[in-house]
Amino acid sequence: MFILEGPYASDIMLDWLEASQHPTLGNAFAREVTAKGRTLNLVDPADAAARIDAGERVYSSSESALEWVLANVHDEHLLRCIRLCKDKAETRRALATVDLTFFFRECTMEELLAIDPGELPFPLVVKPAAGFISFGVHVVRKASDWDATINLLREEMTSRNVHPSSVVTANRFIIEGYLSGQEYAVDLYFNGEGEPVILNVLQHDFRDAADTSDHLYFTSPHIIRSAAPALRRWFQHANETFRFRNYCLHAEIRVRHAPQQDPIEAFADPANVHVIELNPLRFAGLCGTDVGYYAFGIRTYAYYLANQKPDWESVLAERSTSAATGMGVLETPPNWKQGCRIDYDKIEQGVTLNGALDNLCELRPMNPDTEGAACFPLFRIPAGEQGKRVRDFMLGYNANDYLISR
């Protein structure tokens, strides 16, 4: 069962749903899509819930779908898996058997405001116990930054207006140790025997140590060849605790490595792998999982729903080992207000190095008021100096520079 839900659905995903006629929950969002001309195989909500309860695999294009699943589905295994992933405190408790030394603490906003920062082990991260695309996530490096950070977090949670309570919690938070090392995002599923199947691995780069944005993710044959086998082994061991079956998720991890070591090499030691969070029933958000289609010709959700495994040896043999494929979120400009527009042509010029490269796969305009972001480019990253300039652009832009005021 496919649950098509807002805030955004890509043409790549909709094309597949039309061509495959895969059963799709007939919710309000899907009906809006069909009203605009798409021919989807819509299933009555009661029938969809019964099919999921009977064991049919389910994929959601957005975590906004979790609210419907939790309210209508009765499959205890599926509900347990969702809650384990979505409740980050529950995730941390499950991971305690795998990551024995990691610090975390669960708090309400009132408790955050009352904490003596002198009692905390800095640096650390504070974030909602349930969250989405880094919303409300803050790195706090030292005790003197604590009060200002918590006041900012309180303002953010008061003003949130895009994501429902099943996606972002307003009064349950986690304080956890800051994980150093290279960050990666993994799209994977667990088959009926609990075996993990890796569908994509994305390196997540940041502009500096304090950055928590989603500006730049990229994948490549080198990343898949080096990381996928180690991640498969790691998740197979972790699943002795998780007990996931016929279930998909998007994992965010950090890999500790020596200062001069290629982070990919550090995957060889499972002790270097630390989970940041597990996101249930979906892959990379805002349909970002489509980067796998541009990079490897793989629609990740189609593989999961059909219980297919990528033949990575064949897939990667057909592709350049030096090229990468990237994506990133242009967040809502801080100065955004009603009547403003986004300069998409200027963004395209940045990604393509002012037209020097023919590397733009797709530029997805988004509505900051309803979709939580301004733009989502997907693009090729060549080797060498030009690739570095593309990455530097994605990491270094100021969202206000692409704002057109009327």
Side-chain angles (χ1 to χ4, degrees), residues 1-3 23-27 41-58 68 72-74:
M1 184 62 56
F2 201 104
I3 303 181
T24 302
L25 174 68
N27 58 11
N41 178 17
L42 299 187
V43 178
D44 177 80
D47 290 341
R51 291 170 67 154
I52 296 169
D53 284 340
E56 187 171 314
R57 286 188 180 183
V58 58
W68 181 88
N72 293 276
V73 172
H74 304 93

Side-chain angles (χ1 to χ4, degrees), residues 109-110 113 128 135-136 150-163 168-171 173:
M109 177 57 74
E110 291 74 20
L113 292 167
F135 181 81
I150 299 307
N151 285 329
L152 176 59
L153 177 62
R154 180 169 57 173
E155 291 175 9
E156 289 174 339
M157 302 313 293
T158 300
S159 64
R160 69 188 180 92
N161 60 4
V162 174
H163 307 298
V168 178
T169 56
N171 200 39
F173 302 88

Side-chain angles (χ1 to χ4, degrees), residues 388-402:
K388 180 180 182 301
R389 288 173 60 194
V390 172
R391 293 194 298 270
D392 287 347
F393 166 76
M394 289 302 300
L395 290 173
Y397 70 76
N398 181 333
N400 280 332
D401 291 343
Y402 304 93

Side-chain angles (χ1 to χ4, degrees), residues 69-100:
V69 175
L70 295 172
N72 293 276
V73 172
H74 304 93
D75 181 332
E76 287 301 325
H77 169 73
L78 179 62
L79 297 178
R80 179 191 66 80
C81 293
I82 292 171
R83 292 184 179 116
L84 189 153
C85 291
K86 196 59 208 168
D87 187 323
K88 291 178 174 56
E90 188 65 27
T91 305
R92 284 284 158 229
R93 284 189 283 271
L95 284 168
T97 62
V98 182
D99 199 343
L100 302 177

Side-chain angles (χ1 to χ4, degrees), residues 182-186 201-204 251-253 255 263-264 267:
Q182 179 62 57
E183 183 166 317
Y184 293 87
V186 188
V201 183
L202 296 148
Q203 182 169 318
H204 185 186
E252 297 175 16
I253 65 173
V255 178
I264 290 291
F267 273 105

